[in-house]
Amino acid sequence: MASLNLEQLQYPIGKFKTPDEYTPEFINQCKKDIAGLPMLLSRAVNGLTIEQLNTPYRPEGWKIKQVVHHIADSHMNAYIRTKLTCTEEEPTVKPYIEQLWALTPDANDDNIKVSLQLITALHNRWSSFLTTLTFNDLDRCFIHPEHGKKFNLKWLCALYAWHGKHHTAHITHARELYHF
């Protein structure tokens, strides 16, 4: 693990790539990945001590506990964006500065249990909602002002299926890197 470069530590499963094509099978897998994240994440942090939770997942990276709290924050925003997109015509979503959110007191709390519970409840709700949407429903778009363009819900599903695995890999790779 020590031979990995910074980019490999930062993107252990690779950077997110927008799919060339969205198929129903691909989207169904994304929905399954979103539904399965709470279990994967819980396994990844199981048994970690407070000292280990306060260890950065990579040099100059967030602490493991910040990664867990970030997933809760980020995925809440994604769920809200999903609901807005399904209930409004091409809504403009509110961006947030994740680096600053990671510095807030709640994102630095040693107790990750609340965020794990939140992620579990949120993903149960989000997954339940996603199952009610047809493949064509996921063509609905929102506008992200930070990027200055429209994104559809198929893209959002793909991004957050990747996002959960991406951050879980940060934790599992840190466990290997630091031998805990």
Side-chain angles (χ1 to χ4, degrees), residues 76-138:
M76 280 190 291
N77 275 284
Y79 173 67
I80 290 167
R81 290 170 180 176
T82 303
K83 294 282 287 224
L84 286 170
T85 304
C86 289
T87 59
E88 298 178 18
E89 197 59 40
E90 294 187 353
T92 298
V93 298
K94 174 93 173 83
Y96 69 102
I97 304 168
E98 65 182 34
Q99 296 293 356
L100 294 180
W101 282 42
L103 299 175
T104 61
D106 62 320
N108 284 280
D109 192 327
D110 289 340
N111 182 3
I112 62 169
K113 185 177 180 181
V114 172
S115 284
L116 291 172
Q117 291 169 336
L118 177 57
I119 292 164
T120 298
L122 175 65
H123 277 251
N124 284 339
R125 180 90 185 262
W126 192 12
S127 295
S128 177
F129 183 64
L130 287 173
T131 62
T132 69
L133 302 177
T134 67
F135 185 71
N136 290 335
D137 288 338
L138 297 173

